[in-house]
Amino acid sequence: MIKHNAENERIKRKYFIFLKEAKRQNESSVDAVAKAVSRFESYTKYRDFKTFHFEQAVGFKNHLAKQDNQQTGKKLSKATLNSTLGQLKAFFQWLAMQLGYKSRISYTDTEYFNLSEKEVRIATARRKTAVPTMEQIKHVIETMPNNSDIEKRNRSLVAFTLLTGARDSAIASMKLKHIDINGNSVFQDAREVNTKFSKTFTTFFFPVGDDIQQIVCDWVRYLKEELLWGNDDPLFPKTNVISGEDRIFKASGFKKEHWSTASPIRAIFKDAFESSDLPYFNPHSFRKTIVTLGQKLCQTPEEFKSWRQNLGHEDVLTTLYSYGEVQQHRQGEIFQQLKSPRSSVNQNVDDIARAVVKAMADQNSQMEFKRD
C-alpha cells in the first residue's frame, strides 16, 4: 500500500520552508500544517496534488467531520475542522501559483475547503474558560512539598509563574542570569528565551504577595549559593534520571540542562493541582488570573499600560480582548452595583475608559489606512 508520493513530498518541503522562512511561522505552526496535509493525503491515498479537484475538498471535509478525537473519543470539534481546512485551503492556494501546478489546480476550487458560515461562527465563538483564583493558586503552592531538590524546584516553578506571568515555553528556556532578585524583575531576552513572537521585554514581579516572591528568591539563592550554579545555568533544570539498583528508573537531582519542551512544566502543574484536590489549571491560565488582578488594582491608564507591558502585550487591547474577560460572578456584582445611583464617577475610571476608546479608534484608523 502506497504510504507517500515522492512528487508531493518535494513540493511539501518547499511549502514548509516557505512558511518558516518567508511567513516566519514557528516549528509548531509548521507541524500543524504538515499534519493537516498528511490527513488529506491519507484520504486521497496519496494521489498527486496536481490531480486536485473541488470534489476532493468536499469529500475530505465530509470525511473529517466523521473522525473521532483520539483523546476524548468524541467527534472532532468545529474549531479543529476549521483550522485543518483553513490550512489546506492556504496550501492549495499556494500550490495554484507554483510552476507545474498553475495549469492543473483551479484557485476557485480551494474555496470548497470552507465550512458553512454557521459552522465557522461555532468554531470561532469565544467561550467562557475557567480561570484559577488567586486563593486557589496560593493554596496549591502552600500545600506543595518542599523537602527534596525536585520538590523545591517544582514549588518555585509554580510560584515563579504567578510572580511573573511568563509563558511556560519562556520559563523552560530561562537562565539564572535572566532573573534579577534585587531589581525584582526578569529579562525575557528573545536571543535566549523562547518568548512569543521572539519579543524581548522586562517583566517586573507582579504584586501577588511577599510570600510568593520569597519562594522564588530562596530558590535562586539555593541554586547559586548551595549548588554553586552559574549565570548561564537553567533557572529550572531538567530532572536527572538514573537506573537504580533494582533497575528501575528514578529521579536523582538535576542535569544542568533546559527542558526541550514545556510538557514537563505542564505535568508539574497537573500533579500539583490534583494533589491539592483542585481541578487542573495550565500555566497559561495564570496570565488570565494576573489580568483579573490588574483590573482590580490599576486605576490610571498609565498603570494599566505598565501592566500590559509586563505581560509582553503590544497594546492594551490585546490584554482586554484576549485576557480581560470579566468573570461571570463579578459581572453579576457589577450589574447589582449599577442599580444603585452614584453621585459621582471616579475620574480615574473615566480616564481609563477614554484611553481604551482612543486605542480602539486608533486601531480602526490603522486598519482603514492599510485597506486604503
Side-chain angles (χ1 to χ4, degrees), residues 36-75:
V37 176
S38 178
R39 273 179 161 170
F40 180 80
E41 281 192 285
S42 178
Y43 166 74
T44 63
K45 295 180 172 58
Y46 300 92
R47 293 179 64 182
D48 195 317
F49 290 141
K50 292 176 182 177
T51 66
F52 174 72
H53 187 262
F54 77 88
E55 291 177 348
Q56 291 180 3
V58 173
F60 177 72
K61 187 163 52 176
N62 294 331
H63 165 77
L64 195 64
K66 297 175 183 177
Q67 301 306 301
D68 294 332
N69 184 305
Q70 294 181 350
Q71 293 183 338
T72 64
K74 299 179 180 178
K75 298 301 178 187

Side-chain angles (χ1 to χ4, degrees), residues 128-140 158 161 168 265-289 327:
K128 179 183 176 183
T129 56
V131 178
T133 65
M134 192 66 67
E135 291 75 19
Q136 285 177 318
I137 296 174
K138 288 192 172 184
H139 172 72
V140 168
V158 178
T161 306
D168 52 14
I265 294 178
R266 291 190 286 271
I268 290 170
F269 270 65
K270 190 173 189 297
D271 181 67
F273 274 90
E274 289 180 351
S275 297
S276 300
D277 295 323
L278 289 172
Y280 166 58
F281 290 101
N282 62 32
H284 192 81
S285 67
F286 281 30
R287 291 171 64 83
K288 296 184 179 182
T289 303
Q327 295 301 299

Side-chain angles (χ1 to χ4, degrees), residues 310-359:
N310 226 37
L311 287 164
H313 291 160
E314 290 291 338
D315 56 61
V316 70
L317 294 184
T318 302
T319 309
L320 290 173
Y321 285 163
S322 302
Y323 295 87
E325 180 180 346
V326 178
Q327 295 301 299
Q328 193 171 35
H329 72 278
R330 178 56 183 153
Q331 183 180 351
E333 292 175 0
I334 290 172
F335 272 84
Q336 287 299 320
Q337 294 169 3
L338 290 174
K339 292 179 181 179
S340 304
R342 291 172 291 179
S343 57
S344 62
V345 179
N346 187 294
Q347 185 62 41
N348 288 334
V349 175
D350 276 353
D351 290 342
I352 293 176
R354 280 193 291 270
V356 171
V357 171
K358 183 178 184 302

